[in-house]
Amino acid sequence: MSVNCQNNKLIRWVEEIEALCKPEKVYWCNGSAREYQDLMAQMVKAGTGIPLEKRKESFLFRSDPTDVARIESHTYVSTRNQENAGPNNNWISPDELKKTMSDLYDGCMAGRTMYVIPFSMGPIGSPLAKTGVQITDSPYAVVNMHIMTRVGDRVIEALGADGEFYPCLHSVGAPLKPGEEDVKWPCAPMEKKYISHFPEENLIWSFGSGYGGNALLGKKCLSLRIASVVARREGWLAEHMLLLRLTSPEGRQYHVAGAFPSACGKTNLAMITPTMPGWKAETIGDDICWMKILPDGRLHAINPEMGFFGVAPGTSVSTNPVAMKMLQSRTIFTNCALTDDGDVWWEEMGLPAPARAIDWKGRDWTPESKEAAAHPNARFTVPISQCPTEFSGWDHPDGVPIDIIIFGGRRGEMMPLVHEAFDWEHGVFMGASASSETTAAIIDRNGNLMPPQVRRDPFAMLPFCGYNMGDYFQHWFEMGDRLGSKAPRIFYVNWFRKGEDGRFLWPGFGDNSRVLKWMCDRVDGKAGARESAIGMMPEAKDLDLSGVKVSPEALEVLLSVDSAAWSEEIKDIEAFFMKFGDHYPERLEKQLKALKGRLSV
Ligand code: O2Y
Ligand code: MN
């Protein structure tokens, strides 16, 4: 037991789980650097962690090929009444799910150590922070939690005798028989994987997967699925958003929260290097943001995490030079390729492919090999403190006041570069109707990567909202009622519009700062815009385009509204909204009707 734990509820829960999972031993994590090093040394000895000669204190892990991403089809929100989980979640009743999973958990940690990880999402003691305790039999999960959250004794101290915590139970679901040799990446077969949330009890049960969001339960499970329910209950917002601070050449500061579905360059935007002289961007977070109205009446945001769990393939000196610097040392890599000289490599890294490597499945690889060397969802785990553009005040307990909220998605057609909401309610409609072309982060029920397709992804929260999304839309409207004139301005962007030749029309990356500058100028009433059917849009003269390689023809497409395509889009939006039945808010219907009217549909 932790020497310091005074919390009887926590002690009883740990005893109960120990009795159920029957581990060989129990270890309470203290969060120390020594603990991290010891666990790494243990995993290196077991052959699961590979030290990288070229990157100081960095390690490569390879997962089982069936355990490479989060699995939406095996993710459940279990409420007494199915309607409260909504059509956006897979549902099984709590009684049935707990019975099934309790049977799976029975003895599941045999031969393994059960780690107890007290962690805080958000600065310990902040009015915006929450405490979790994860139980896991995965040392890989422990070291990743060390980087992604605040772990250990200081959390136990802050919890005290009667503090509330969120119990998060995780097992890789691979008990060991006496004397049985372990495999490198233990996990359960697909049909036994469950990522389950019981929002009525603030409880998370995950079984069978050791990967990413399935195993690091502070991330998607607690900070989004459970926190979204708590946020509605308590009157705040838990969102799938990056956080960024911009400073103009005059020294004016703007805080931006941006919601983008997976694989839309959220991490790249969070670490943007502006191409406009004098503009500075600082990183606060790349994935999750919690926002609360503080006594000044403004919406304040924190990044509840402590690190980044980013996608490696595609990260390069040209797409994200900041990340490339950040990954030079003290990083955990998962499912990247290993080079002969002890470095990692991945596709689109901006470096020539090595003549030989070991691929993510541990096989010999050459550039002639048919399969990619790194898995498309290969990851890096790295502390935010290593980010060269980290905002020094990123973990202030009161967070930062938000000026701008951005929604976005990846759309090759139809969606213009940027448009601004007429007001908060229109902004809620923009968020609710957001869509994107999917890429590699999702696998289907059979373990296959899903082919790219357009899917509606409201607020980039479809896989992460822990309750009926109709009620979630209503919650956003009500937050606007409370914010009134202090509400942030809302925008929608699409960096991925393509021309007829299939090439991107907008240069993207650092040049996205030009769009951000237009937003900042809109906040200050300094930039022009024309009224269009879908919102306020810049004309070319309203954007600072000095030195940008974009033709007038491309700009014409990027800054115009294709009414015919939008008329088609509206049908899809309406069909999607109809899924929410009685939970579809009237105010959203009003917005849809108004858009139809403006488009004369
Ligand atoms: O959770 C995973 O295993 C991969 S998905 C992911 C990881 C980090 C940040 N965001 C995501 C996402 O899908 O949004
Ligand atoms: Mn994400």
Side-chain angles (χ1 to χ4, degrees), residues 372-504:
H375 186 276
N377 194 37
R379 295 275 166 173
F380 53 78
T381 322
V382 62
I384 188 167
S385 58
Q386 276 178 224
C387 178
T389 55
E390 169 205 20
F391 166 45
S392 58
W394 76 273
D395 65 345
H396 190 283
D398 285 344
V400 293
I402 296 298
D403 302 286
I404 291 167
I405 291 176
I406 308 177
F407 298 115
R410 174 185 286 269
R411 295 294 300 263
E413 294 170 355
M414 198 239 7
M415 191 61 81
L417 178 64
V418 58
H419 59 293
E420 182 187 355
F422 297 122
D423 53 27
W424 180 272
E425 302 217 343
H426 181 224
V428 175
F429 172 81
M430 280 181 175
S433 57
S435 62
S436 196
E437 287 155 20
T438 58
T439 57
I442 307 164
I443 51 176
D444 71 11
R445 185 162 274 281
N446 302 315
N448 301 314
L449 281 170
M450 301 238 293
Q453 52 186 293
V454 171
R455 79 165 180 178
R456 307 235 72 85
D457 192 353
F459 294 78
M461 280 289 280
L462 188 70
F464 307 120
C465 180
Y467 63 103
N468 191 314
M469 270 204 124
D471 299 336
Y472 168 91
F473 302 148
Q474 181 62 24
H475 178 49
W476 264 81
F477 283 124
E478 288 169 14
M479 289 296 290
D481 297 341
R482 286 171 54 207
L483 283 162
S485 63
K486 294 193 173 168
R489 298 278 278 267
I490 301 182
F491 299 83
Y492 196 105
V493 300
N494 175 28
W495 317 128
F496 303 96
R497 184 75 180 263
K498 289 180 179 167
E500 279 171 5
D501 58 2
R503 295 158 84 115
F504 292 118

Side-chain angles (χ1 to χ4, degrees), residues 66 163 277 333 364 419 443 536 583 594:
T66 63
F333 294 93
D364 285 335
H419 59 293
I443 51 176
M536 302 302 291
H583 295 254

Side-chain angles (χ1 to χ4, degrees), residues 220 240 266 287:
K220 303 298 190 180
H240 188 206
K266 219 156 82 243
D287 197 39

Side-chain angles (χ1 to χ4, degrees), residues 548-563:
V548 186
K549 284 196 194 113
V550 54
S551 68
E553 295 75 28
L555 269 179
E556 170 76 31
V557 178
L558 286 164
L559 302 179
S560 62
V561 179
D562 179 344
S563 301

Side-chain angles (χ1 to χ4, degrees), residues 52 54 60 62 336-346 349 352-359:
L52 296 169
K54 289 278 169 169
L60 171 67
R62 295 190 193 111
C336 299
L338 176 67
T339 64
D340 277 355
D341 59 352
D343 201 357
V344 280
W345 186 84
W346 51 78
M349 192 187 198
R356 279 159 30 102
I358 308 289
D359 75 2

Side-chain angles (χ1 to χ4, degrees), residues 39-51 59-63 139-140 182-186 333:
L39 284 168
M40 274 298 186
Q42 178 192 310
M43 287 187 283
V44 168
K45 195 164 167 226
T48 54
I50 302 168
F59 300 86
L60 171 67
F61 288 80
R62 295 190 193 111
S63 78
Y140 168 86
D182 204 358
V183 294
K184 295 234 166 99
W185 186 276
F333 294 93

Side-chain angles (χ1 to χ4, degrees), residues 162-337:
D162 44 23
E164 282 300 311
F165 67 93
Y166 292 73
C168 309
L169 172 57
H170 171 248
S171 171
V172 294
L176 288 167
K177 294 193 191 79
E180 184 183 341
E181 206 185 314
D182 204 358
V183 294
K184 295 234 166 99
W185 186 276
C187 63
M190 192 58 95
E191 68 278 8
K192 288 190 179 165
K193 292 191 206 291
Y194 287 85
I195 323 298
S196 304
H197 307 76
F198 303 91
E200 287 146 354
E201 298 167 68
N202 289 342
L203 176 68
I204 298 163
W205 278 10
S206 170
F207 186 90
S209 166
Y211 199 89
N214 307 331
L216 315 180
L217 302 188
K219 195 169 179 56
K220 303 298 190 180
C221 297
L222 174 47
S223 292
L224 289 177
R225 297 196 192 93
I226 292 293
S228 60
V229 179
V230 177
R232 177 173 172 236
R233 225 183 268 151
E234 298 178 351
W236 50 282
L237 295 166
E239 299 301 324
H240 188 206
M241 289 180 174
L242 65 86
L243 277 171
L244 181 64
R245 172 178 159 112
L246 295 168
T247 307
S248 74
E250 298 74 38
R252 162 97 159 91
Q253 274 140 7
Y254 308 83
H255 297 103
V256 180
F260 295 82
S262 315
C264 285
K266 219 156 82 243
T267 305
N268 295 347
L269 184 58
M271 294 170 199
I272 189 171
T273 308
T275 50
M276 282 174 316
W279 279 82
K280 182 170 152 194
E282 290 163 284
T283 310
I284 303 174
D286 81 327
D287 197 39
I288 296 174
C289 129
W290 287 354
M291 296 188 282
K292 195 170 195 168
I293 304 173
L294 289 194
D296 64 3
R298 297 189 64 192
L299 195 58
H300 285 248
I302 60 161
N303 168 13
E305 302 190 280
M306 274 266 285
F308 306 113
F309 184 65
V311 182
T315 303
S316 71
V317 178
S318 54
T319 62
N320 194 338
V322 172
M324 293 305 276
K325 283 198 196 114
M326 168 174 87
L327 304 178
Q328 285 308 315
S329 60
R330 294 188 298 277
T331 303
I332 298 174
F333 294 93
T334 305
N335 286 345
C336 299

